[in-house]
Amino acid sequence: MTGNAAVDHVHRCVVAVASSLQQQVSQISLAICRALVAEIPDLCGTDRTFEMLDAGVATNLETIFQALMHDIPLDESTVPPVAVEYSRRLARDGVPVNTLVRAYRLGQRHMTETVFTELRTLQMEPTTRLAVIEAITGFVFEYVDWVSGHLVGAYEREHVQWLENQHTIRAMRVRDLLGDDADVAVDTASAAIDYPLHAQHLALIVWHEADDALDQLQRFVHGLAAAVNTSGQPLFAAADRTTAWVWLPFSVPPGEIATRVREYSATSPETLNIAMGAAGFGVQGFRRSHRQARRAQAAALARDQRPGAPSRVLVAATDRTVMATALLGAGIDEVRGWVADVLGDLACDTEDDAVLRETLRVFLQRGSTREAAARELNVGFNGLRCRVERAVARRGRPIDDRTDVELALFVCQWRRSAVLRPV
């Protein structure tokens, strides 16, 4: 058989095999889909039905068989729309892109096995069989490489759009929660933002100097959450294209959490800026910790950098003098809000709270020495102890941020009703 005749013969055999397989496309697609789902369960989910996967596989097979039967070049082929939609669905569901690529590689393997099975049923010379195998498997390889490249592009574009939409929706819900000081239904609000508001919270503001850094910020936050052993997934809300508002949930008070955040940040290759609030409980703690983080960020950004000093920001509201610095240029409304954050109900403008504030101020100023404080206030030890306990109870949490408490009490002593909560 001459060279041209041999080529024509191989081509006719390729067409015969492709035609035979095309008649079995439904059965082949079903078998491939079952094998794929067995190895990659993520290919099927709540909104990704087996039928949708089957339709995508079947259309890919049809495209391959038609190209082989009619000698259609790849650059004249069209990516099946159902396959494109399926890749977009994976992106919206957060399935990693390598899962999509792996599925196509596994599909290629199963398709190759199907071709070998079909060839066993046909009588042909060994050299012809080898040429047919090379022609079909070579084209299938090129097709999978071509189509997966297109689908990865569609996936990535959809993933970016999906992330932006999710960030926008979540950020709007979070802003609503932060902007409304009224009581909320905790379970309902938690479900709306997919975050446990009944937990302990540490709020952070994380930002990067570069535009479109949200993916980088999100990777850092998830790594941080794992490193500090949060009790659930962090809440990540995009404030803009370079800044994220973050909350880390804990089932119990996290202790020296600012130190642990700093330690993780120091080992991270990401060059990010972080401002932290203090840990707080429940919805009010969620709001208060975020306000503290924003004030800490404002204080850090207002700082005049010395030439040659590192520009990276890593600051916590619990750092000594940070909040005092933040309030130096603040208006009275901001000061009043900060005093309320620090003192809780102890910031109410009542005579009883005024007595408790003065008692706590003197007690702390005297180094928590009962003798000196009792003498200055002209009360007995038991009376002093009772007042201090009542003051702490009115505040609503222990005094583990003594610097801020002393500053807030000092502000109340001098500004009085201007910074107190009316009753």
Side-chain angles (χ1 to χ4, degrees):
M1 189 179 294
T2 64
N4 289 338
V7 171
D8 290 342
H9 179 62
V10 169
H11 177 65
R12 286 194 298 272
C13 290
V14 168
V15 171
V17 172
S19 178
S20 177
L21 294 176
Q22 197 272 339
Q23 300 300 316
Q24 309 168 54
V25 68
S26 297
Q27 300 94 306
I28 297 172
S29 176
L30 182 61
I32 291 177
C33 287
R34 286 174 174 169
L36 291 178
V37 172
E39 296 195 49
I40 314 176
D42 282 348
L43 292 176
C44 285
T46 303
D47 295 323
R48 300 185 307 280
T49 64
F50 186 88
E51 289 75 15
M52 186 177 186
L53 175 62
D54 186 32
V57 172
T59 54
N60 277 304
L61 292 176
E62 286 280 5
T63 303
I64 291 172
F65 298 148
Q66 290 295 322
L68 289 170
M69 290 163 58
H70 303 288
D71 202 19
I72 302 173
L74 273 180
D75 57 8
E76 295 181 14
S77 300
T78 302
V79 179
V82 67
V84 174
E85 179 54 34
Y86 183 76
S87 70
R88 291 172 176 164
R89 186 67 62 85
L90 291 179
R92 292 194 294 271
D93 290 350
V95 178
V97 68
N98 63 332
T99 299
L100 175 66
V101 175
R102 184 180 173 220
Y104 270 82
R105 295 306 179 194
L106 289 174
Q108 176 187 344
R109 188 188 74 187
H110 289 295
M111 179 60 189
T112 301
E113 293 172 353
T114 301
V115 170
F116 275 94
T117 300
E118 181 66 21
L119 283 170
R120 292 191 193 102
T121 68
L122 303 176
Q123 297 295 324
M124 62 180 65
E125 293 294 326
T127 54
T128 301
R129 185 186 303 275
L130 180 60
V132 170
I133 290 173
E134 289 177 347
I136 295 178
T137 57
F139 181 83
V140 171
F141 173 83
E142 292 177 3
Y143 177 83
V144 168
D145 184 65
W146 171 78
V147 77
S148 59
H150 281 277
L151 295 180
V152 166
Y155 174 101
E156 291 177 342
R157 289 189 294 273
E158 185 69 21
H159 185 62
V160 169
Q161 184 64 47
W162 178 82
L163 281 178
E164 290 181 352
N165 289 340
Q166 290 299 107
H167 288 325
T168 300
I169 293 170
R170 178 171 286 188
M172 289 175 58
R173 290 172 175 169
V174 169
R175 287 177 187 275
D176 288 343
L177 183 61
L178 292 172
D180 186 0
D181 287 333
D183 292 337
V184 300
V186 174
D187 290 341
T188 301
S190 295
I193 62 174
D194 193 23
Y195 178 85
L197 288 170
H198 56 272
Q200 295 276 341
H201 317 286
L202 175 72
L204 303 92
I205 296 176
V206 186
W207 70 101
H208 197 288
E209 301 303 329
D211 288 338
D212 298 319
L214 293 180
D215 279 349
Q216 182 180 355
L217 298 181
Q218 198 159 27
R219 286 194 301 271
F220 172 82
V221 168
H222 281 282
L224 172 63
V228 300
N229 297 317
T230 58
S231 60
Q233 291 297 313
L235 173 60
F236 184 98
D240 54 42
R241 301 183 75 89
T242 64
T243 307
W245 295 347
V246 177
W247 286 262
L248 304 178
F250 299 90
S251 56
V252 296
E256 295 296 326
I257 185 62
T259 300
R260 292 155 63 195
V261 172
R262 283 190 168 97
E263 289 173 349
Y264 177 80
S265 180
T267 63
S268 173
E270 310 282 7
T271 306
L272 307 174
N273 303 295
I274 304 173
M276 292 174 271
F281 173 74
V283 174
Q284 294 306 319
F286 177 90
R287 293 165 171 163
R288 181 173 60 248
S289 187
H290 176 69
R291 287 194 295 265
Q292 291 168 338
R294 296 193 69 174
R295 290 173 183 139
Q297 180 192 32
L301 294 178
R303 183 174 53 194
D304 185 19
Q305 291 286 346
R306 299 187 304 275
S311 59
R312 185 181 185 186
V313 174
L314 184 53
V315 64
T318 53
D319 296 343
R320 290 180 61 85
T321 73
V322 165
M323 296 314 297
T325 302
L327 295 172
L328 286 177
I332 192 64
D333 290 339
E334 180 69 13
V335 174
R336 186 186 304 111
W338 177 77
V339 168
D341 282 346
V342 174
L343 298 182
D345 289 341
L346 190 60
C348 288
D349 192 9
T350 68
E351 292 184 8
D352 187 52
D353 285 317
V355 172
L356 297 180
R357 283 195 300 272
E358 179 64 8
T359 301
L360 185 59
R361 184 189 67 80
V362 172
F363 178 70
L364 295 176
Q365 188 178 31
R366 298 304 180 192
S368 301
T369 304
R370 289 185 299 171
E371 291 82 357
R375 185 166 51 252
E376 180 172 340
L377 293 167
N378 194 27
V379 296
F381 285 173
N382 288 338
L384 175 69
R385 177 178 57 81
C386 182
R387 285 188 191 177
V388 170
E389 289 177 353
R390 286 174 56 205
V392 173
R394 284 287 287 168
R395 184 186 186 227
R397 61 187 191 278
I399 299 177
D400 49 14
D401 50 347
R402 180 166 176 161
T403 300
D404 284 350
V405 172
E406 288 190 89
L407 177 60
L409 292 170
F410 177 78
V411 170
C412 290
Q413 181 188 25
W414 284 94
R415 304 301 297 270
R416 301 185 185 277
S417 295
V419 296
L420 294 174
R421 184 188 306 161
V423 292

